[in-house]
């Protein structure tokens, strides 16, 4: 007869089988530890290089997007009729006409030289070709920081021409990045500038001058700050000849030494990397823009990360080995006794009855989890029964409190109404009207617990407030309301207009007497609703500072809490695209714009339903 194959493990006792099982489980961990230590450095370098290649591409794209934004602004400035009128012709012009054009051009450039959202401002300068030197009244020396001079327009001739202009004039209207080190009153200001030649739109080839956007290095530094490199890592933006235009270490104008493997004969858009003994070089090249974005990462910092990774792997191996020993020591324990006790508990337990003892969760196997889960489930059932009882009691108490809260406002309204009629009958008309307006303020402020009310209700609240203020302090300013009928049912957070009108009174027209004017306008603007509060106040206002307060945390700036609260409530209800914005009113005064979505009680659904 053919002999049967026997299991060799049956010839071993349980202890020997456990030792063999332990070795089978632990051996792969130690093999993995050895293999990981041998391959960690190579894998780490490859992964870091690949990750920073893609990161460099995205970072280069963001930098060029900022440059493209500056380029579009320049196109707008170049096409502006004021800029086109700066061309020097043979027509007889008086000095007065030249001064007028010079002033208009200065204002145009100054209006565009504004930093948004607290960012670094890019200053625009126009250098007009003036071969006859007929604009002798204009300043001759520009200032990057605009601290010593507010002039933005300058004139040059063939004899007095800056050397950095040649590149822009040869580009024939295309923008170029150029390092300029001869700006300033002492020719000691250095900047990375974006330069474009300005040609006449009508004649085509006639050169008006050169438009310069300074402080591009600050914009590029902002993009650099969004990327975190390992310790000792640097970022460089260079031209095609490897001359540094901007860098995280502040070096500019020097040549960046790259390995020979990183040849500049790349295509229009290519990623390259080279690993040396000292550093890893990752570059993204754009032939169209003649730019390179280069990351240099010291190998030493990666080796430090490798050492930390080795320690982690070793620690994991040790912890896993200890865990395997513990599991092997306890896994042969009997399972029937715990299961029998669990069955007896399931048959005898009554929901709501307290448990005699809850077992702890010392076991790590399925039986331990099952026992603990069953007892935990029984405890949760008991807790749910008690919680349901408590909730029913608290629900009754809440209903009683709600009835009391409903009685108090009705009592207050009825009392104010009685005082109003009594004052009217006694001839105290002014007092009666003030009581009536106060009743409206309190009724709409409560709004039955609703946070969103209609614009019609909000206007009623605002009108009551202004009427009460005029009668209370005997203000003589005038107030006008221009409201479209079609948007009165639009939703708005309650008590939105009152703080804005209060600001217009206190900071605008309070001391102007009959000359003070406040105008509230509400109209539909596409899919949105725009509400404006305008005054003709005469005080100077820093609109940028006010708009920054709207998005600043309260702990940082204690002032402006009222308008910041209004702005925050609008954005919480409708999203970050809506809220307040302050700007100048024409010819004088302040205008605050409230932007809301077109939303009514029907389109809002359950959000607007009253409790």
């Amino acid at each position: 007869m053919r002999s049967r194959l026997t299991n060799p493990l049956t010839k071993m006792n349980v202890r020997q089988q456990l030792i063999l099982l332990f070795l089978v489980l632990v051996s792969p961990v130690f093999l993995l530890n050895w293999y990981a230590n041998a391959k960690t450095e190579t894998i780490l370098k490859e992964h870091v290089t690949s990750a920073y290649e893609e990161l460099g591409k995205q970072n280069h794209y963001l930098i060029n997007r900022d440059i493209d934004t500056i380029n579009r602004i320049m196109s707008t400035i170049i096409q502006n009729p004021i800029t086109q009128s700066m061309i020097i012709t043979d027509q007889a012009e008086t000095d007065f006409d030249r001064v007028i054009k010079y002033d208009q051009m200065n204002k145009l450039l100054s209006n565009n030289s504004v930093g948004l959202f607290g960012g670094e401002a890019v200053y625009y300068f126009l250098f007009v070709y003036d071969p006859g030197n007929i604009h002798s009244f204009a300043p001759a020396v520009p200032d990057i920081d605009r601290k010593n001079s507010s002039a933005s327009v300058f004139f040059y001739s063939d004899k007095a021409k800056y050397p950095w202009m040649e590149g822009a004039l040869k580009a024939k209207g295309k923008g170029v990045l150029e390092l300029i080190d001869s700006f300033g009153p002492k020719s000691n200001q250095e900047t990375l500038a974006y330069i474009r030649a300005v040609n006449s739109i009508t004649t085509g080839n006639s050169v008006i001058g050169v438009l310069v956007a300074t402080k591009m290095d600050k914009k590029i530094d902002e993009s650099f700050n969004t990327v975190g490199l390992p310790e000792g890592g640097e970022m460089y933006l260079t031209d095609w000849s490897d001359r540094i235009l901007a860098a995280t270490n502040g070096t500019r104008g020097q040549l960046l030494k790259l390995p020979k493997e990183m040849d500049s004969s790349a295509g229009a858009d290519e990623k390259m990397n080279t690993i040396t003994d000292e550093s890893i070089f990752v570059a993204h090249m754009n032939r169209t823009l003649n730019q390179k974005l280069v990351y240099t990462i010291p190998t030493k910092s990666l080796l430090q990360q490798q050492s930390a990774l080795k320690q982690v792997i070793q620690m994991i191996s040790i912890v896993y080995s200890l865990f395997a020993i513990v599991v092997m020591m306890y896994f042969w324990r009997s399972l029937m006794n715990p299961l029998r006790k669990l069955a007896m508990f399931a048959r005898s337990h009554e929901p709501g009855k307290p448990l005699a003892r809850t077992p702890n969760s010392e076991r790590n196997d399925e039986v331990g989890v099952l026992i603990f889960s069953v007892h935990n489930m029984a405890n949760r059932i008991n807790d749910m029964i008690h919680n349901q009882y408590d909730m029913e009691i608290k629900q009754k108490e809440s209903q009683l409190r709600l009835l009391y809260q409903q009685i108090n406002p009705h009592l207050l309204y009825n009392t104010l109404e009685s005082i109003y009629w009594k004052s009217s009958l006694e001839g105290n008309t002014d007092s009666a009207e003030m009581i009536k307006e106060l009743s409206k303020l309190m009724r709409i402020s409560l709004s039955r617990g609703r946070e969103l009310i209609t614009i019609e209700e909000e206007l009623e609240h605002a009108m009551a407030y202004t009427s009460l203020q005029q009668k209370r302090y005997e203000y003589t300013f005038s107030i006008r309301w221009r409201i479209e009928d079609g948007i009165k049912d639009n939703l708005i957070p309650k008590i939105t207009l009152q703080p804005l009108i209060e600001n217009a009174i206190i900071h605008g027209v309070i001391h102007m007497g009959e000359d003070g004017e406040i105008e509230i306008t509400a109209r539909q603007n596409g899919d949105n609703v725009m509400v404006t509060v305008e005054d003709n106040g005469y005080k100077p206002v820093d609109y940028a500072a006010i708009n920054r307060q709207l998005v600043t945390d309260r702990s940082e700036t204690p002032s402006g809490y009222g308008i910041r609260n209004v702005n925050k409530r609008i954005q919480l209800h409708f999203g970050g695209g809506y809220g307040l914005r302050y700007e100048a009113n024409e010819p004088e005064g302040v205008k605050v714009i409230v932007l809301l979505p077109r939303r009514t009680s029907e389109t809002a659904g359950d959000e607007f339903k009253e409790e």
Side-chain angles (χ1 to χ4, degrees):
M1 293 180 61
R2 227 160 76 181
S3 61
R4 258 187 210 178
L5 294 175
T6 59
N7 186 356
L9 295 178
T10 58
K11 298 180 180 181
M12 305 171 61
N13 58 36
V14 175
R15 185 182 298 275
Q16 292 172 339
Q17 292 183 27
L18 290 177
I19 294 174
L20 179 60
L21 179 61
F22 173 76
L23 293 177
V24 170
L25 292 176
V26 174
S27 296
V29 176
F30 288 98
L31 292 175
L32 178 62
N33 187 8
W34 172 81
Y35 179 78
N37 290 333
K39 297 294 183 180
T40 296
E41 183 176 349
T42 302
I43 296 173
L44 183 61
K45 288 181 179 179
E46 291 177 354
H47 280 251
V48 168
T49 302
S50 176
Y52 279 106
E53 275 186 348
E54 187 61 29
L55 182 62
K57 179 180 179 181
Q58 297 298 327
N59 194 16
H60 202 181
Y61 169 76
L62 292 176
I63 292 173
N64 288 325
R65 188 180 66 178
D66 291 340
I67 295 175
D68 185 60
T69 301
I70 302 299
N71 191 54
R72 288 197 299 269
I73 295 175
M74 280 188 164
S75 298
T76 303
I77 295 174
I78 292 173
Q79 296 171 6
N80 193 288
I82 298 175
T83 306
Q84 292 295 315
S85 68
M86 296 300 295
I87 186 170
I88 307 300
T89 62
D90 295 334
Q91 297 178 359
E93 287 184 334
T94 64
D95 288 340
F96 180 76
D97 295 332
R98 297 190 188 101
V99 171
I100 292 297
K101 291 197 301 181
Y102 173 84
D103 183 65
Q104 292 176 343
M105 193 66 222
N106 256 329
K107 290 180 179 178
L108 174 62
L109 296 176
S110 297
N111 290 337
N112 286 279
S113 300
V114 177
L116 298 179
F117 306 108
E120 182 69 32
V122 173
Y123 294 124
Y124 295 90
F125 297 86
L126 177 63
F127 292 81
V128 180
Y129 178 59
D130 183 12
N133 194 21
I134 60 177
H135 294 79
S136 58
F137 59 86
V141 180
D143 186 0
I144 293 176
D145 297 322
R146 302 285 294 277
K147 295 179 179 179
N148 301 320
S149 173
S150 61
S152 301
V153 182
F154 303 90
F155 299 87
Y156 71 95
S157 62
D158 294 327
K159 296 181 180 180
K161 182 188 297 185
Y162 292 97
W164 45 261
M165 292 182 177
E166 295 296 334
L169 295 174
K170 291 179 181 179
K172 297 180 179 180
K174 294 183 179 179
V176 294
L177 280 175
E178 185 73 29
L179 278 173
I180 300 177
D181 56 2
S182 59
F183 258 65
K186 298 181 181 180
S187 298
N188 59 350
Q189 291 182 340
E190 185 182 56
T191 184
L192 177 63
Y194 188 71
I195 310 172
R196 283 185 60 179
V198 181
N199 296 323
S200 174
I201 297 177
T202 57
T203 59
N205 295 327
S206 299
V207 177
I208 296 177
V210 178
L211 184 59
V212 181
T214 63
K215 290 200 172 184
M216 292 298 297
D217 49 333
K218 301 298 183 181
K219 285 293 179 184
I220 295 175
D221 287 344
E222 291 177 3
S223 299
F224 282 167
N225 292 334
T226 61
V227 178
L229 294 181
E231 183 180 358
E234 301 291 348
M235 290 179 280
Y236 302 91
L237 179 67
T238 71
D239 58 16
W240 207 249
S241 60
D242 297 334
R243 187 171 61 126
I244 300 175
L245 301 177
T248 53
N249 58 11
T251 59
R252 286 183 296 192
Q254 304 176 9
L255 288 179
L256 179 63
K257 294 182 180 180
L258 296 176
K260 296 180 180 179
E261 294 82 356
M262 303 185 71
D263 189 8
S264 297
S265 59
D269 192 355
E270 185 172 340
K271 297 178 290 186
M272 299 185 67
N273 68 83
T274 298
I275 301 176
T276 65
D277 294 336
E278 297 181 355
S279 300
I280 296 178
F281 294 85
V282 179
H284 181 264
M285 304 182 179
N286 192 321
R287 181 59 178 171
T288 306
L289 300 175
N290 289 330
Q291 292 177 4
K292 300 178 185 179
L293 181 62
V294 182
Y295 293 170
T296 62
I297 305 170
T299 307
K300 181 180 178 181
S301 63
L302 292 182
L303 294 179
Q304 292 176 352
Q305 296 180 9
Q306 178 192 2
S307 300
L309 184 58
K310 287 181 179 179
Q311 293 177 0
V312 171
I313 295 175
Q314 292 173 356
M315 182 61 66
I316 292 175
S317 302
I318 295 172
V319 172
Y320 179 79
S321 301
L322 294 175
F323 175 74
I325 293 174
V326 173
V327 172
M328 292 300 103
M329 291 176 61
Y330 287 97
F331 93 102
W332 71 82
R333 287 188 176 184
S334 176
L335 302 178
M336 295 306 299
N337 190 41
L339 292 176
R340 183 179 59 82
K341 292 181 179 180
L342 182 63
M344 292 177 59
F345 169 77
R347 287 194 298 266
S348 62
H349 175 67
E350 297 179 4
K353 182 179 178 181
L355 301 181
R357 184 179 65 88
T358 302
N360 51 30
S361 57
E362 293 180 353
R363 297 185 63 106
N364 294 324
D365 56 0
E366 290 82 355
V367 175
V369 173
L370 180 61
I371 294 174
F372 180 77
S373 299
V374 171
H375 282 79
N376 193 25
M377 181 180 63
N379 280 326
R380 290 201 302 269
I381 292 175
N382 291 342
D383 293 340
M384 290 176 61
I385 293 174
H386 293 295
N387 290 340
Q388 181 66 24
Y389 178 74
D390 293 338
M391 287 177 61
E392 290 178 357
I393 295 177
K394 291 180 179 180
Q395 184 178 11
K396 297 298 183 182
E397 294 176 352
S398 299
Q399 291 175 352
L400 290 174
R401 284 197 301 269
L402 181 61
L403 291 175
Y404 284 125
Q405 291 173 358
Q406 291 178 347
I407 292 173
N408 291 335
H410 286 291
L411 176 62
L412 179 61
Y413 299 152
N414 293 336
T415 303
L416 289 175
E417 189 70 17
S418 300
I419 297 173
Y420 165 71
W421 285 112
K422 189 174 185 302
S423 298
S424 299
L425 293 175
E426 293 177 355
N428 297 326
T429 307
D430 292 338
S431 299
E433 290 299 323
M434 292 181 68
I435 293 172
K436 184 177 182 181
E437 300 299 342
L438 178 61
S439 175
K440 289 182 181 179
L441 281 176
M442 300 187 66
R443 175 175 55 83
I444 299 175
S445 298
L446 294 173
S447 303
R448 298 182 180 180
R450 289 179 295 142
E451 177 63 23
L452 295 176
I453 62 176
T454 63
I455 287 182
E456 184 175 10
E457 293 175 304
E458 178 67 12
L459 289 173
E460 184 180 357
H461 178 271
M463 291 178 182
Y465 169 76
T466 54
S467 176
L468 194 62
Q469 289 293 94
Q470 287 179 318
K471 293 175 180 177
R472 180 184 177 188
Y473 296 107
E474 297 182 355
Y475 291 152
T476 57
F477 62 85
S478 61
I479 184 165
R480 296 190 299 271
W481 308 84
R482 302 181 185 275
I483 312 300
E484 290 184 0
D485 292 334
I487 64 168
K488 290 185 177 180
D489 60 343
N490 201 79
L491 296 182
I492 184 174
K494 65 181 180 182
I495 315 179
T496 294
L497 295 180
Q498 183 266 326
L500 305 182
I501 296 175
E502 182 180 2
N503 282 347
I505 295 174
I506 296 175
H507 302 292
V509 301
I510 187 171
H511 297 301
M512 296 179 65
E514 296 180 353
D515 294 331
E517 295 180 357
I518 297 178
E519 182 173 309
I520 294 88
T521 306
R523 58 184 178 84
Q524 185 168 349
N525 185 12
D527 295 334
N528 299 323
V529 171
M530 185 177 294
V531 182
T532 62
V533 178
E534 308 173 32
D535 65 71
N536 63 340
Y538 58 89
K539 296 181 180 179
V541 178
D542 188 351
Y543 303 101
I546 297 177
N547 289 321
R548 284 196 299 270
Q549 285 185 357
L550 296 177
V551 296
T552 304
D553 184 71
R554 181 184 178 185
S555 61
E556 298 177 4
T557 56
S559 61
Y561 174 69
I563 60 175
R564 189 164 53 245
N565 177 277
V566 173
N567 186 64
K568 187 66 175 179
R569 288 193 292 117
I570 294 175
Q571 293 181 345
L572 287 175
H573 282 290
F574 303 125
Y578 301 94
L580 306 183
R581 184 177 79 254
Y582 276 81
E583 61 183 37
N585 191 21
E586 296 297 339
E588 59 183 357
V590 179
K591 176 193 293 186
V592 56
I593 300 175
V594 183
L595 186 63
L596 304 168
R598 185 70 176 99
R599 185 179 299 180
T600 62
S601 59
E602 289 78 9
T603 60
D606 296 337
E607 182 182 354
F608 187 70
K609 290 182 179 179
E610 299 180 7
E611 298 294 335

